[in-house]
Amino acid sequence: MNESAKKYNNYKAFKLSVAPMMDWTDRHCRFFHRQLSRNALLYTEMVVADAVIQGARERLLGFSPEEHPVTLQLGGSDPKKLAEAARIGEGFGYDEINLNVGCPSDRVQSGTFGACLMKTPELVAECVAAMRQAVTIPVTVKCRIGVDEQDPEAALDALADGVFAAGVEVLWVHARKAWLEGLSPKENRDIPPLDYGRVYRLKAKNQSRFIGINGGIQTLDETAKHLENVDGVMLGRAAYHTPGILADADAVVYGEAAREFDYAGLIDTMAAYAARHIEQGGRLGHVTRHMVGLFHGQPGARRFRQILSTDATRPGAGPEVLYSAFAAVEQERASRAA
């Protein structure tokens, strides 16, 4: 068992995580986020069990050791396939396997998994039981509070009771319903009203379980307030679009000594990482697209974003573009300080 897995055994350590987000939280994004926070738990994008079993595993599952602790999120509804995919994921070195019971996309609906599984809590319990039998690392679940016309009180309790009975100790809850009919995946992230109280009530009934909350949380101050009622907070779009907030997370959430973040060191690390990726046949933009919001709200943020959005996407672009973008930030800071 690696050191991160040993640490993971203390679930309470994971007060903050960055949500699995399709097309966003790839390995480059996770490497970047890890440079900002040493402690936050990072998640992959959802990977369908069939793809893990039959697809290009290194491309789908490969990650850098620096990303630990990191969770593989799986999608599927066949217990045997999910168990096999979980076993493969453990072999790649992931610290945790998470089952997606919350994604409302058309693709997920056609495969009768993701948020659709809220309607079949017995099947979810069967899936996680099979996954737990296949691996030695933790198996967790991320869900919604309900779907369509379900009563969130009954639906969430049924899902939670089933997975807890199957041996799951950690449940992350996106505090919205998912509407499988009538709303797009994008609309499902905004339109259904947030009901944080429903997640709090679930925690009150399950004091010995780890209950984490997700959905619409924008700041570390909000995170701290939620942590008065639940065990963990999962940041999604806020962490992606304004990743600089993760630079304060270790101090604000985990109680480490406050420090002035070393942005110059971060740029050096990311430039070296990008150079390695380019040497292996990748492009600078694969890495820098996740970094455009780094200086959101700070002097020079607009110019930094412009340079990465244009120059970094050009053929042959190299790490010097990242240094150029950071130089623009430093220049703006200096001019304002003068």
Side-chain angles (χ1 to χ4, degrees), residues 24-34 62 64 67 270 273-274 277 280 282-283 285-291:
W24 288 358
T25 52
D26 62 17
R27 63 185 301 171
H28 310 306
C29 176
R30 297 191 306 267
F31 182 90
F32 169 51
H33 284 172
R34 177 58 67 221
S64 301
E67 294 173 38
M270 293 308 302
Y273 176 85
H277 178 61
Q280 294 166 3
R283 293 181 296 177
H286 295 160
V287 176
T288 57
R289 72 185 184 98
H290 304 297
M291 300 178 64

Side-chain angles (χ1 to χ4, degrees), residues 46-62:
M46 182 188 69
V47 186
V48 178
D50 281 334
V52 172
I53 296 168
Q54 302 171 10
R57 293 178 186 174
E58 180 58 37
R59 179 179 60 81
L60 291 169
L61 302 180

Side-chain angles (χ1 to χ4, degrees), residues 46-50 52-53 72-90 97-101 112-114 117 123-135 139:
M46 182 188 69
V47 186
V48 178
D50 281 334
V52 172
I53 296 168
L72 169 63
Q73 188 184 65
L74 294 175
S77 58
D78 183 310
K80 290 183 179 179
K81 290 181 179 179
L82 283 166
E84 175 64 10
R87 185 191 63 77
I88 294 168
E90 182 178 35
I97 307 294
N98 179 267
L99 178 62
N100 183 313
V101 189
T112 61
F113 57 94
L117 289 173
L123 177 57
V124 176
E126 186 180 348
C127 289
V128 295
M131 294 163 72
R132 290 188 68 246
Q133 292 242 333
V135 300
V139 173

